[in-house]
Amino acid sequence: MYLLTVVRAEEDGHQGSLPVAELALTLGVSAASANEMVRKLERRGLVTYERYRGVDLTVGGRRIAARVLRVRRLWARFLADRLGMAPDEADALACRLEHVTPDAAIDRLDRFLDHPSVGPMGRPIPPGDGEPVVPIETLAGAAVGSPVEVVSIEGDRETAAFLADAGIRVGAVVSIRARAGTTTLVAGDMAVAVGSELARSIAVRGHARGA
């Protein structure tokens, strides 16, 4: 969980070392407990720690975190897509399944799902080669005027239905017309304004014009 917390902070846009105090707050433990665990992880070669700066993952630490997130998010994708579970419910159950899933089984699951790139919560699924987790872009950070493809939508069914009515669904290509408090999206000949929180829940990737 310590390794995952560092990676998730990076996914959320945190730059630089993660302070131990922030690590402790996120995990709900005391600063003393967090500091002790960080020291243990450092001795195992999984993190580096510098006083007054914080914690960074080593290559070995990133590989472990990537493997855990790969298993968890593939299971969550299966549970959401194939069993119809809500994204948050799928993520919670996937956390339990991750502990009992061997690599061979997860590779088969990846092939069965046709190698998805993001989980149902809009987070990237790391590749199976142990490469570092790469943050994905959301509509909140996409450039105005550039077409992007929707790769996942985090939220409940009502949110997904609202967006689908405006032509915004997984696989759709949309453009950002304007951003001023709300973000105005255009899908086909339809336009819809979404708030900043909703924009952050929609994961996208670049889409070449005419592709």
Side-chain angles (χ1 to χ4, degrees):
M1 289 306 299
Y2 280 77
L3 303 180
L4 296 186
T5 299
V6 176
V7 170
R8 285 172 171 167
E10 293 175 353
E11 290 181 341
D12 288 335
H14 181 88
Q15 297 181 352
S17 304
L18 187 67
V20 172
E22 186 172 339
L23 190 60
L25 181 64
T26 301
L27 292 171
V29 300
S30 67
S33 295
N35 188 71
E36 181 180 358
M37 179 56 70
V38 165
R39 296 295 188 182
K40 289 180 180 179
L41 293 172
E42 186 176 37
R43 289 194 291 271
R44 292 173 58 188
L46 300 178
V47 305
T48 58
Y49 170 67
E50 186 175 339
R51 192 176 183 185
Y52 302 124
R53 288 192 60 190
V55 181
D56 290 288
L57 300 186
T58 64
V59 173
R62 288 190 178 279
R63 285 177 177 162
I64 291 176
R67 191 270 176 191
V68 172
L69 290 179
R70 172 176 167 79
V71 176
R72 183 174 300 182
R73 290 171 180 173
L74 281 171
W75 271 124
R77 186 86 270 171
F78 171 82
L79 294 168
D81 292 355
R82 304 291 171 164
L83 302 186
M85 296 181 66
D88 55 344
E89 295 173 336
D91 185 66
L93 180 53
C95 180
R96 298 165 60 185
L97 292 171
E98 174 266 316
H99 297 286
V100 295
T101 306
D103 290 338
I106 205 61
D107 287 341
R108 289 188 177 189
L109 181 59
D110 183 41
R111 290 193 296 271
F112 176 75
L113 295 171
D114 195 24
H115 312 292
S117 60
V118 295
M121 300 289 286
R123 300 290 186 168
I125 298 175
D129 53 11
E131 287 298 309
V133 180
V134 179
I136 60 173
E137 186 177 34
T138 69
L139 277 175
V144 174
S146 298
V148 292
E149 179 185 353
V150 177
V151 296
S152 72
I153 298 173
E154 178 181 341
D156 54 29
R157 291 183 177 87
E158 289 76 15
T159 298
F162 163 74
L163 293 172
D165 286 342
I168 301 168
R169 54 176 61 86
V170 174
V173 176
V174 304
S175 294
I176 300 176
R177 175 178 292 174
R179 182 182 290 117
T182 60
T183 299
T184 302
L185 308 175
V186 178
D189 58 356
M190 301 184 67
V192 62
V194 300
S196 57
E197 183 176 352
L198 182 53
R200 287 193 296 271
S201 74
I202 303 174
V204 298
R205 61 185 169 206
H207 185 85
R209 295 182 185 275

